[in-house]
Amino acid sequence: MPSPEHLDAITQDDLIATGATRWAGDADVIGAFVAEMDFGIAEPITERLHAEVDRGAFGYLPAHLATELHGATAGFLQRRTGCTVDPAHIHEMPDIISVFQAVIGNFLRPDSKIIVPTPAYMPFLEVPELMGREILEVEMLVEDSGDSGVHYSYDLAAIEAAFDAGGELLVLCNPHNPTGRVFTREEMEPLVELVDRKGGRVFSDEIWLPLVLEGEHIPYASLSETAAGHTITAVAASKAFNLPGLKCAQLVTSNDADREQWERVGHFPMHGAANLGLAATAAAYTQAEDWLDDIVGYLRRNRETLVELVGSLLPKARLTTMEGTYVAWLDLRVYGIEGSLHDHLLERARVECTEGTACGSAWAGHVRFIYAMPRPLLIEAIARIARVLEPGRSAE
């Protein structure tokens, strides 16, 4: 199992050698922009991949591998959320965006609009337009929450207005990327009533469910029969177990009408899932939870370090509460940087983050920062940013 000391000892040179996207730029840049972890792969997953390669499992997807994945996913969801899902209602897909595309293309009216609360995961603001759909951005509500950071929540009145303006699908992300919120039952139940009253649908992206740092993950579709009746859920092992390049996610249906529709249209969307991805995901869900628990512990430690660093080195910044994920959302507007924050920090601090406006048009002056990196690199990244934004304080 990975110890904090082992993870702390991973160097930037080690990460560059992996060829990971975050570390594929200039050698002096600390990458904090792509949502991957720097902590390697659990041994049971690596062993399973070697076994599949050794036996040449490169043909079309065999039925037994799909069956194994469906059962492994159901078991993992039961253990991590307490919810029972029939394996027959779980379907392999290449990735979360493929699930999103399938929902837009097969479960909505042709002229309906997509409601995206912002800040949002960047592709949620790109994919609908590529499919000819109008996006209705709805800014989340923001309020100070004392020493624990800034609290983001859904704006029910604005979401209702978006439904009235022709929206049909609400994009729900929980745990939330990029704010790190883990939404409570009390927060989500009014959404269920609203969506039902407006005759809408929900695409529930729950890819981050294994990475809850405080609170508990409650699957949206599990809230009630009403919620199940208008929801398609997407999950995957890619964020929690470091497997995005293996192309395997899961689409979960929760009502009979959607199951019947998926029987008609699901073959080709599912066809892109990779054999090795299914095998690795099954191994992750059934054999690597101890590894995952250690990683979650390390992420909690990194979160505490990040809160301390921002408080001491960037005291005018506002940081989200980070209840889940390994994504931080930093409000740096007070520093008055004109133009692109991404470019400013990359050029002057040699730290690459995601520009806030990539997560929604209203979020200039913010950055998305990935803190799933060795703690010494995390400390160096924030210190570099502070030397640029708070030069007097950092020099003290």
Side-chain angles (χ1 to χ4, degrees):
M1 294 297 109
S3 67
E5 295 75 20
H6 170 76
L7 298 177
D8 284 350
I10 298 171
T11 68
Q12 189 161 350
D13 285 342
D14 295 331
L15 297 171
I16 291 171
T18 69
T21 301
R22 280 208 287 142
W23 304 102
D26 293 341
D28 65 332
V29 172
I30 295 178
F33 65 102
V34 175
E36 298 176 334
M37 297 194 294
D38 295 330
F39 309 139
I41 307 297
E43 186 174 346
I45 300 173
T46 303
E47 291 176 350
R48 177 64 184 272
L49 287 170
H50 280 296
E52 295 297 323
V53 170
D54 288 344
R55 71 188 187 94
F58 308 135
Y60 289 113
L61 178 65
H64 72 83
L65 191 53
T67 299
E68 180 188 5
L69 172 73
H70 304 160
T73 304
F76 185 78
L77 293 174
Q78 174 69 50
R79 293 189 298 276
R80 304 307 283 200
T81 72
C83 295
T84 300
V85 178
D86 188 332
H89 303 158
I90 297 168
H91 309 277
E92 65 278 2
M93 294 285 286
D95 50 38
I96 296 295
I97 294 305
S98 297
V99 181
F100 187 39
Q101 291 172 312
V103 172
I104 293 173
N106 296 290
F107 292 90
L108 305 181
R109 297 186 302 270
D111 59 344
S112 61
K113 302 172 186 179
I114 312 302
I115 304 170
V116 183
T118 66
Y121 175 48
M122 299 79 72
F124 293 155
L125 296 167
E126 300 169 1
V127 169
E129 289 188 342
L130 294 174
M131 299 180 69
R133 301 301 183 109
E134 182 179 344
I135 297 170
L136 301 176
E137 292 190 32
V138 176
E139 295 174 35
M140 297 178 76
L141 298 173
V142 186
E143 60 183 353
D144 289 318
S145 54
D147 294 338
S148 62
V150 182
H151 184 87
Y152 282 69
S153 60
Y154 287 119
D155 185 337
L156 294 178
I159 291 172
E160 181 167 10
F163 276 116
D164 291 340
E168 183 180 3
L169 181 72
L170 173 66
V171 177
L172 177 75
C173 182
N174 183 37
H176 189 263
N177 172 14
T179 71
R181 283 298 322 283
V182 174
F183 296 109
T184 65
R185 179 181 299 275
E186 290 72 24
E187 288 178 287
M188 291 190 291
E189 285 179 339
L191 272 177
V192 175
E193 186 278 329
L194 173 59
V195 174
D196 181 61
R197 179 160 46 86
K198 296 297 179 179
R201 298 297 311 258
V202 168
F203 166 72
S204 188
D205 170 16
E206 303 187 19
I207 192 174
W208 297 95
L209 76 86
L211 297 173
V212 172
L213 307 180
E214 62 181 78
E216 65 172 326
H217 176 76
I218 301 172
Y220 177 87
S222 74
L223 290 167
S224 65
E225 289 188 11
T226 301
H230 59 231
T231 303
I232 290 181
T233 303
V235 298
S238 53
K239 298 303 181 188
F241 295 96
N242 252 3
L243 305 175
L246 287 174
K247 308 311 291 180
C248 180
Q250 297 85 56
L251 179 154
V252 184
T253 56
S254 50
N255 61 78
D256 289 340
D258 288 349
R259 290 173 194 131
E260 292 174 5
Q261 172 69 349
W262 195 244
E263 281 293 316
R264 290 191 292 270
V265 304
H267 174 72
F268 284 110
M270 292 162 57
H271 193 60
N275 291 11
L276 293 181
L278 269 71
T281 299
Y285 285 159
T286 58
Q287 301 176 54
E289 285 188 83
D290 289 343
W291 181 93
L292 172 62
D293 290 339
D294 286 344
I295 293 300
V296 169
Y298 191 83
L299 290 174
R300 289 194 180 105
R301 180 172 173 251
N302 268 12
R303 179 187 63 167
E304 293 166 2
T305 298
L306 180 57
V307 170
E308 293 170 1
L309 289 170
V310 170
S312 61
L313 299 181
L314 295 166
K316 291 180 284 187
R318 303 169 82 204
L319 183 65
T320 48
T321 49
M322 299 181 293
E323 299 157 344
T325 81
Y326 45 72
V327 181
W329 183 245
L330 270 167
D331 180 353
L332 301 174
R333 288 175 295 174
V334 70
Y335 293 104
I337 303 302
E338 295 184 2
S340 168
L341 257 178
H342 166 275
D343 293 351
H344 188 83
L345 296 179
L346 178 59
E347 292 167 6
R348 303 192 181 200
R350 308 304 284 164
V351 177
E352 186 166 9
C353 308
T354 302
E355 184 75 39
T357 51
C359 300
S361 57
W363 303 98
H366 296 71
V367 293
R368 191 184 83 143
F369 180 94
I370 305 302
Y371 61 90
M373 62 179 69
R375 185 169 178 268
L377 283 176
L378 171 61
I379 294 170
E380 173 63 16
I382 299 302
R384 289 185 187 185
I385 293 173
R387 285 195 289 270
V388 170
L389 299 182
E390 293 270 6
R393 176 178 298 273
S394 62
E396 293 175 357

